[in-house]
Amino acid sequence: AVVSTQSTGEEKDAKAWIAEVLGAAGKKSAGGVSSQDLTKCRNMTRDVMATLLCDALRIVSNQMENLKATEEEMQHVIDQTADQSIQLGDELEQLKAKSAVEVVDLQREVVNLQRELLAAKNQQLDDLRASVLESVGDTVKAEMKSYSSVVQRTCNASANTFKSVNLKSVVKKVVEEKDRSTSFMIFGLQEEQNEKVGEKVGELLLELNLKPQIEACRIGTSNSDAAQGRPVKVSVGSCSTVMEILSKAKFLKDTERYNKVFLSPDLTREQRAERKKLVIELKKKTTTEPNKRHFIRGGCVVSVDK
């Protein structure tokens, strides 16, 4: 092949330059070309060799410039990436700080809600205490009024003796009312020999997620032939605890173990008699009107649609 000795003054493409050199050496790949292959070529004069070297220099120079430009561009990209990484880090720190503030705000809100709940419970206790004091005051006033009328009718009797007897009955009634306000009754709790009533009541209250301090005992004479056990009287520390327990007693019907057990306030004999009448009426309505839901509220049987 005849190597062209004319120089165009422009940079040749690297592939074209390699093809030209391989053609002059009579080779197919650069790996098999030696300096002797080029010197043996008839047309490989000094001028031709110089032209090839100049072309090679321009190609290498262009490659170096391209590499430098590529390196600068990559460095620019790296710098941008680093800046973005720093910016993302700052944004992440800001998000963390914001999240921490939000967590503190939520905790503060929870504390405020707990304070409000505590204040509401204290208010309920104050209202209940005022109601009990009012009830006791009304009872004392009624007894004193009754005492006054009796004294007028029986002026020949000993006033001091009568006063002592009536004051004792008033005090006894007040004590009984206070005792009933801190206790409740359990009906339908199966009775067993040598049982520990307190533990059984404690297990029942655990079903309602409650664990108060209690004192429990069976009421009435033991009857081994009875289908159900005797009622259980349970005393707790405060009337608010009784209210909380009775408010949750309705959930016992949803349990497998205590679905036939029910709780009620500790009533007087007269109140129990009235309650018994209401229960009989409730059972009757449940049988005659099965399509309605019946319950006792405010001293009467209430029926609503299911």
Side-chain angles (χ1 to χ4, degrees):
V2 178
V3 179
S4 175
T5 59
Q6 295 180 352
S7 175
T8 62
E10 299 178 355
E11 296 182 3
K12 295 184 178 180
D13 182 77
K15 291 184 178 181
W17 183 87
I18 293 172
E20 187 174 0
V21 173
L22 290 177
K27 300 292 183 178
K28 293 183 179 181
S29 64
V33 177
S34 65
S35 59
Q36 296 176 353
D37 293 329
L38 294 174
T39 56
K40 291 179 180 180
C41 181
R42 294 179 180 179
N43 296 323
M44 188 58 65
T45 63
R46 182 178 297 178
D47 293 337
V48 173
M49 183 67 71
T51 301
L52 289 176
L53 288 175
C54 290
D55 291 341
L57 179 61
R58 280 191 292 270
I59 292 173
V60 171
S61 177
N62 287 335
Q63 292 294 332
M64 292 297 292
E65 291 178 359
N66 290 337
L67 286 174
K68 184 177 180 181
T70 302
E71 182 179 357
E72 292 177 352
E73 184 177 358
M74 291 181 65
Q75 185 62 43
H76 179 67
V77 172
I78 291 172
D79 293 340
Q80 285 184 335
T81 303
D83 293 340
Q84 291 176 355
S85 178
I86 294 173
Q87 184 179 358
L88 289 175
D90 294 339
E91 292 178 356
L92 180 60
E93 291 299 327
Q94 292 176 0
L95 288 175
K96 287 182 179 179
K98 184 179 180 180
S99 299
V101 172
E102 291 177 351
V103 168
V104 172
D105 291 341
L106 287 175
Q107 290 176 342
R108 186 179 295 110
E109 185 175 353
V110 169
V111 171
N112 291 336
L113 289 175
Q114 290 176 340
R115 289 177 179 173
E116 292 177 2
L117 179 61
L118 182 60
K121 287 188 175 181
N122 289 335
Q123 183 62 42
Q124 290 178 352
L125 289 176
D126 292 340
D127 293 343
L128 183 61
R129 187 181 295 107
S131 176
V132 170
L133 290 176
E134 183 180 358
S135 176
V136 172
D138 292 343
T139 302
V140 172
K141 289 179 181 178
E143 290 295 335
M144 293 301 295
K145 184 178 180 181
S146 174
Y147 163 73
S148 178
S149 62
V150 170
V151 169
Q152 291 177 0
R153 290 195 305 266
T154 59
C155 57
N156 295 327
S158 175
N160 292 332
T161 302
F162 185 78
K163 180 178 179 181
S164 176
V165 171
N166 273 272
L167 284 177
K168 287 181 179 179
S169 65
V170 170
V171 172
K172 182 179 179 182
K173 188 170 183 179
V174 170
V175 171
E176 287 180 351
E177 287 186 1
K178 184 177 183 304
D179 178 67
R180 293 184 189 280
S181 69
T182 58
S183 60
F184 63 94
M185 302 295 295
I186 301 178
F187 298 92
L189 186 63
Q190 186 176 2
E191 184 174 359
E192 301 171 346
Q193 292 184 352
N194 301 324
E195 66 179 359
K196 295 183 179 180
V197 183
E199 292 182 2
K200 296 182 72 171
V201 174
E203 292 175 359
L204 181 146
L205 294 178
L206 281 177
E207 290 287 339
L208 303 176
N209 295 323
L210 298 172
K211 196 176 180 180
Q213 295 291 331
I214 61 169
E215 293 182 4
C217 63
R218 295 279 183 180
I219 302 297
T221 304
S222 176
N223 184 2
S224 58
D225 296 332
Q228 294 181 340
R230 292 173 292 165
V232 179
K233 180 177 179 179
V234 184
S235 299
V236 295
S238 65
C239 53
S240 61
T241 304
V242 173
M243 294 173 62
E244 183 179 11
I245 293 172
L246 294 179
S247 67
K248 294 184 176 182
K250 58 187 177 181
F251 298 113
L252 289 175
K253 68 178 184 297
D254 299 326
T255 65
E256 182 178 355
R257 184 178 180 183
Y258 300 109
N259 57 4
K260 294 184 180 180
V261 177
F262 67 95
L263 280 57
S264 74
D266 186 9
L267 306 176
T268 63
R269 181 175 298 177
E270 293 78 8
Q271 290 171 331
R272 288 198 297 270
E274 187 66 26
R275 177 81 178 186
K276 186 175 181 180
K277 293 179 181 179
L278 292 174
V279 171
I280 293 174
E281 182 182 353
L282 175 66
K283 291 181 178 179
K284 182 177 179 181
K285 286 198 172 187
T286 302
T287 303
T288 57
E289 302 178 35
N291 294 328
K292 293 185 176 182
R293 186 169 64 89
H294 310 280
F295 53 90
I296 298 174
R297 177 181 292 173
C300 62
V301 178
V302 180
S303 302
V304 297
D305 294 331
K306 289 184 177 179

